[in-house]
Amino acid sequence: MIEFARNVRLWFVPEEVRAEGRTPDYRFSLANERTFLAWLRTSLALIGGGFAVDQFLPDLRWGWRVGLALVLLASGVLCALRAVNHWVRCERAMRRGEDLPVSRFPAVLGIVVAVVAVAMVVVVLLRGEG
């Protein structure tokens, strides 16, 4: 927990990350930044999907519509926060010469998106019958 709190602090003072270890090859830092931006794009897509479910499925029962929208919105928020934290952790590991950090988050996010997608398939199929 202390390590997480330190990482959150580094989100707002990234120059402190530079104080650790040696400067890595800039290509690795740029690759880390591209990965961060990819996670942010994923986050924006999830948030957009949440709003789309809420706005474009008015015939869907309120509980389903709000539930699916909230799962997508929450996933987008978590993805954005995770992107920043992962960027800091990777940058620090590269500067220290350590292995890059591993995470279960991509697997969890993939499962959540798959569950929402299956629920949406069920919704589409049931709407076609009604």
Side-chain angles (χ1 to χ4, degrees):
M1 186 62 175
I2 292 171
E3 185 69 20
F4 178 76
R6 182 162 191 265
N7 284 342
V8 169
R9 190 177 61 75
L10 289 174
W11 295 1
F12 302 100
V13 284
E15 59 274 1
E16 285 189 23
V17 173
R18 290 183 171 173
E20 295 189 36
R22 298 179 336 199
T23 301
D25 185 332
Y26 72 91
R27 293 173 293 182
F28 298 124
S29 290
L30 292 174
N32 190 28
E33 185 175 341
R34 283 190 303 273
T35 302
F36 166 74
L37 294 172
W39 279 104
L40 284 185
R41 285 189 300 272
T42 302
S43 174
L44 289 170
L46 289 166
I47 291 168
F51 280 118
V53 164
D54 184 52
Q55 294 299 308
F56 298 120
L57 295 175
D59 298 336
L60 188 59
R61 204 171 351 160
W62 183 85
W64 276 99
R65 189 179 79 232
V66 170
L68 291 171
L70 288 176
V71 167
L72 288 169
L73 290 168
S75 296
V77 169
L78 289 175
C79 191
L81 295 174
R82 179 68 179 98
V84 179
N85 192 51
H86 188 71
W87 176 83
V88 167
R89 291 174 60 215
C90 286
E91 195 65 29
R92 288 178 70 206
M94 287 188 298
R95 290 180 164 280
R96 293 175 175 176
E98 300 172 351
D99 289 339
L100 294 179
V102 296
S103 174
R104 291 183 185 97
F105 185 78
V108 172
L109 181 64
I111 290 168
V112 167
V113 170
V115 167
V116 170
V118 168
M120 293 302 297
V121 167
V122 169
V123 165
V124 168
L125 291 175
L126 291 179
R127 280 183 65 187
E129 292 178 8

